[in-house]
Amino acid sequence: MGKADAHGHARRGAIVAEWWERTDRHYDAEGELWFGGRRVSELAREFGTPAYAYCAARVSQNVARMRSALAEIGRPVRLLYAMKSNRHAPLLAHLRELGLGIDAASPGEVRHALACGFEEAHISFTAGCLSRADHAALAGWPQLWINADSLSALRRFAAASPGRRLGLRINPASAVGYNDHVRYAGGSRPSKFGIYRDRYLEAHALAADLGLELAGLHCHAGCGLLDRHLPALERVYERIGEFLDMAPGITELNLGGGLGIPLVAGETELDLSAWAALVRKHFGARELTLSIEPGDYLVKDAGVLLTEVTQVESKGGRIFVGVDAGFNVHPEPAFYQLPLVPAPARRRPGAAQTVSIAGNLNEALDLFAEDIGLPPLVEGDVLCFLNAGGYGASMASAHCLRTELSEHLLAQSMRIAEHDVAQLADANKLAWDRLYAATGELVWGEDPLPFLGDFGAALRTALRAPARVLDAGVGEGRNLPFLLDCGADEVHAIDASRHALDKIPQALRGRTLLRQGDLSASGYPAAHFDAILLLDVYETLPNAESVLAELYRVLKPGGLLLCNIPGLDDGVAGLDMRKLSEDSFLYQSAYFYRFVAPAKAEQQLVVAGFEPIESARREWVESAHPGYRAGAHRHVSHVLLMRRPPTRGG
């Protein structure tokens, strides 16, 4: 069958992806870079350069994954956003709508949060070396939670806010981070942050003498935490436990932020479940209310910096690519040696060149990258820097009186404009769970879908040790026998309904690793599965785009996704359906359904970054579904075998 990409372009052979590609940022078959559902070249024409663009949908997905992990800790956890990473007002409004609080680091940030609609009681403040004016301002917000950073701060808070209940920032003398430039919270070199252990009891005694109620501890141990940092982070948590043991009565513990994302090829995504397990191990049994305050993890990979190429010229034997932005616009590459990923808005044909990317400031250190390989570039091209959503615009300066930059939030796509998708998704989950609870019979029966046998060979070929497969939206397990016969080392299954999982026959349960969870925030590690089934599920998802993004994330490069999507001629399409939008309905006023034409079905998965392998129409007859639909009925689906493109060199 002829293949076309998400935007109607003819495919030219198999796609090979860059290591950083995913559903909302990738190259299409014509070499055009897409971000947040838009061509980057179009964004540059609309916004000008230099400009930041932030993807609201990606932020939502990051928040959902974080919440899924926090649910595994077993303690109440307050999720705060570290505003210093990005204070763009529309982005803050989006985070407020997602239910987050704010971690503020100055009275100005507190004022900005309040102006963006956050409630005072949902803001936590942590900063040091505060002035008299700072203390006076903070005293005017009695519901603001404050973490004192020093003994001096305790004295000043007691004078400005007598009797205040507050926390104490501690320093465990151990830190982790991207590199030595940002490993600032402790370690072998003394740090300005927090109270060290040798003065911890002195701080408690001073607070009591001053009439302050010291009820919480705060510890931020670094930033850029990935899997390789977890052993060091465990040592930090052990030391926090020692602080807690020295002074009983603490009821609030803020573990800071610092969770990172991969910045270069070869780095693996942080396993949030493994991190949550560490938190549970050290603090789950303590009577504490926890707070987490990520910044980078939520916004860094949700942003790009758009620049224009101003020169391409050889100097001293090195090719310099100049752009119309410098470290005044994004300081991390120059100040912290933290890389941004440069990606041309359009890949020109030709051999890659080794270049250095220079900014437009009259400073020698104003370099975005040195000696990296890029496709050919010419003056006037748009060069996009990925992973620019954190500590970019929020740290911008007017150095050299260069003040040219703008910021833009790409709104989250809402396919059902008249409905709140999140509320609809929650109501939909509840409806399906009630269905499974209402009858002891298997609603969908025991037989796997009849077309599965046509794809067994392809799935077996995709397995690579340690081979793992996933049934996403497993329901009562009707398709598990097919997966269990594929020869994988591990068979996993996830569903939002606990009642559905409980009805999976025992013979299948003993051979399957089951998980109750949200398909849009599964909690599985990145690139974990060789093959995924998404069967009789897509059409029931109000948030299908977020679910596809999550499945792309947890699928290995080169791994397969088998999905079916019912068309408008499906047997249930016209039955007791209340229309919500062009292609979305409520069945029996309870169950969400989406029906799309075959071409659009394939297009939706390609938009999510998948590459079509096989596509076909399938029709079969289903028996009655107890409690849901009486009598046998016909089903029609567009069945798609898709692949996550392999990465370059992989």
Side-chain angles (χ1 to χ4, degrees):
M1 139 181 155
K3 302 294 193 302
D5 73 8
H7 320 294
H9 303 300
R11 291 187 174 274
R12 298 174 180 172
I15 296 174
V16 180
E18 302 287 353
W19 69 268
W20 45 261
E21 289 192 49
R22 60 177 195 239
T23 59
D24 69 323
R25 62 179 195 192
H26 64 276
Y27 283 106
D28 66 20
E30 296 298 320
E32 288 276 356
L33 178 62
W34 289 70
F35 175 75
R38 301 279 304 278
R39 285 189 181 89
V40 166
S41 57
E42 293 177 352
L43 293 176
R45 282 194 293 272
E46 180 178 344
F47 302 148
T49 61
Y52 286 95
Y54 311 121
C55 178
R58 179 64 181 182
V59 173
S60 296
Q61 292 159 12
N62 292 341
V63 169
R65 281 196 300 277
M66 177 64 66
R67 285 199 165 119
S68 179
L70 296 180
E72 301 175 22
I73 294 173
R75 297 296 310 162
V77 184
R78 188 165 63 144
L79 182 56
L80 308 172
Y81 165 66
M83 186 205 290
K84 68 177 181 175
S85 60
N86 188 322
R87 59 177 178 268
H88 185 47
L91 175 64
L92 293 180
H94 179 63
L95 288 163
R96 187 196 70 237
E97 291 170 359
L98 293 175
L100 276 72
I102 286 291
D103 160 45
S106 74
E109 286 194 348
V110 175
R111 295 186 190 99
H112 188 49
L114 293 171
C116 289
F118 289 91
E119 296 180 19
E120 185 180 317
H122 296 162
I123 304 173
S124 174
F125 178 91
T126 309
C129 304
L130 301 176
S131 69
R132 285 190 295 272
D134 291 335
H135 282 280
L138 295 170
W141 296 306
Q143 297 182 66
L144 177 74
W145 179 269
I146 292 174
N147 296 302
D149 187 67
S150 64
L151 274 67
S152 173
L154 289 173
R155 297 187 188 98
R156 291 190 172 209
F157 279 124
S161 306
R164 187 155 194 155
R165 185 173 185 263
L166 77 175
L168 183 71
R169 180 169 184 173
I170 60 173
N171 193 317
S174 180
V176 276
Y178 286 116
N179 54 43
D180 290 336
H181 296 275
V182 290
R183 196 175 296 159
Y184 53 81
S188 58
R189 186 172 64 181
S191 162
K192 71 175 186 176
F193 295 109
I195 304 295
Y196 282 82
R197 183 171 174 174
D198 62 341
R199 305 198 71 180
Y200 178 60
L201 293 180
E202 180 185 351
H204 272 271
L206 177 62
D209 290 344
L210 294 170
L212 297 171
E213 182 185 352
L214 201 56
L217 295 184
H218 177 286
C219 181
H220 180 73
C223 62
L225 308 179
L226 299 174
D227 280 358
R228 67 177 184 271
H229 299 118
L230 291 179
L233 186 62
E234 178 154 29
R235 291 193 291 273
V236 171
Y237 287 172
E238 289 170 350
R239 293 182 180 183
I240 294 174
E242 295 170 359
F243 278 86
L244 291 168
D245 292 339
M246 291 170 64
I250 296 295
T251 59
E252 307 275 342
L253 175 61
N254 188 322
L255 292 174
L259 306 182
I261 64 166
L263 297 180
V264 297
E267 288 185 334
T268 56
E269 186 177 282
L270 174 67
D271 184 346
L272 282 177
S273 290
W275 165 75
L278 274 187
V279 177
R280 183 175 65 250
K281 173 182 175 181
H282 290 277
F283 309 112
R286 295 180 182 266
E287 292 299 318
L288 296 168
T289 296
L290 301 176
S291 294
I292 305 292
E293 47 188 38
D296 262 0
Y297 184 83
L298 300 183
V299 300
K300 199 176 196 73
D301 71 350
V304 296
L305 171 60
L306 310 174
T307 67
E308 180 181 330
V309 174
T310 57
Q311 69 175 41
V312 180
E313 189 169 317
S314 178
K315 297 184 178 186
R318 174 185 286 189
I319 298 176
F320 285 90
V321 173
V323 296
D324 64 346
F327 66 64
N328 63 310
V329 172
H330 202 303
E332 284 195 321
F335 289 2
Y336 296 131
Q337 283 72 62
L338 294 179
L340 301 174
V341 178
R346 181 178 177 83
R347 284 197 295 218
R348 294 180 179 274
Q353 296 178 310
T354 299
V355 303
S356 294
I357 304 174
N360 61 353
L361 297 180
N362 193 28
E363 299 282 358
L365 62 82
D366 190 26
L367 295 171
F368 282 96
E370 295 186 81
D371 299 325
I372 62 168
L374 284 178
L377 292 165
V378 300
E379 293 179 10
D381 282 353
V382 173
L383 187 60
C384 176
F385 291 95
L386 310 180
N387 296 331
Y391 297 94
S394 65
M395 292 181 67
S397 74
H399 188 53
C400 293
L401 288 182
R402 286 285 190 185
T403 59
E404 313 94 338
L405 74 86
S406 61
E407 296 178 86
H408 310 270
L409 182 68
L410 306 181
Q412 185 162 346
S413 174
M414 301 287 279
R415 299 179 64 93
I416 310 164
E418 67 272 28
H419 290 267
D420 183 308
V421 169
Q423 291 182 0
L424 183 58
D426 289 343
N428 192 51
K429 289 177 189 175
L430 181 60
W432 289 106
D433 190 54
R434 285 173 173 168
L435 171 66
Y436 291 122
T439 175
E441 300 179 77
L442 295 177
V443 176
W444 314 115
E446 298 180 351
D447 296 330
L449 289 171
F451 56 79
L452 281 177
D454 298 340
F455 299 94
L459 265 62
R460 283 188 287 271
T461 302
L463 300 182
R464 298 289 184 272
R468 305 182 190 93
V469 294
L470 171 68
D471 192 334
V474 63
E476 302 156 313
R478 70 178 294 185
N479 298 313
L480 282 177
F482 167 78
L483 274 188
L484 289 165
D485 287 342
C486 283
D489 298 305
E490 297 175 4
V491 175
H492 295 250
I494 182 172
D495 202 279
S497 169
R498 169 51 57 189
H499 288 105
L501 293 173
D502 288 344
K503 293 172 72 176
I504 293 176
Q506 189 60 43
L508 301 177
R509 297 172 63 86
R511 301 167 60 194
T512 308
L513 298 168
L514 300 176
R515 173 177 294 190
Q516 182 184 8
D518 188 335
L519 290 184
S520 68
S522 68
Y524 294 115
H528 198 59
F529 296 105
D530 299 271
I532 298 175
L533 302 185
L534 186 71
L535 299 175
D536 285 354
V537 175
Y538 179 93
E539 65 272 21
T540 70
L541 300 171
N543 59 339
E545 293 83 0
S546 295
V547 170
L548 291 179
E550 176 70 353
L551 298 185
Y552 185 98
R553 184 186 71 86
V554 302
L555 190 62
K556 295 177 183 177
L560 299 180
L561 171 70
L562 183 61
C563 177
N564 70 314
I565 303 176
L568 294 169
D569 55 345
D570 183 74
V572 76
L575 182 68
D576 196 7
M577 292 284 176
R578 178 161 64 89
K579 189 171 185 177
L580 299 177
S581 71
E582 179 183 355
D583 60 6
S584 302
F585 304 82
L586 278 185
Y587 174 54
Q588 297 181 359
S589 297
Y591 308 99
F592 178 87
Y593 267 92
R594 175 179 286 147
F595 302 97
V596 295
K600 189 174 181 181
E602 181 174 325
Q603 183 185 57
Q604 287 171 347
L605 272 77
V606 176
V607 166
F610 295 98
E611 177 186 10
I613 302 298
E614 187 174 342
S615 176
R617 183 179 188 272
R618 291 290 190 271
E619 180 177 342
W620 70 99
V621 174
E622 287 274 309
S623 300
H625 299 317
Y628 185 76
R629 188 174 181 190
H633 47 279
R634 182 177 66 100
H635 271 302
V636 177
S637 276
H638 194 58
V639 181
L640 299 124
L641 182 65
M642 312 294 289
R643 181 175 72 158
R644 174 176 171 175
T647 54
R648 293 183 182 274

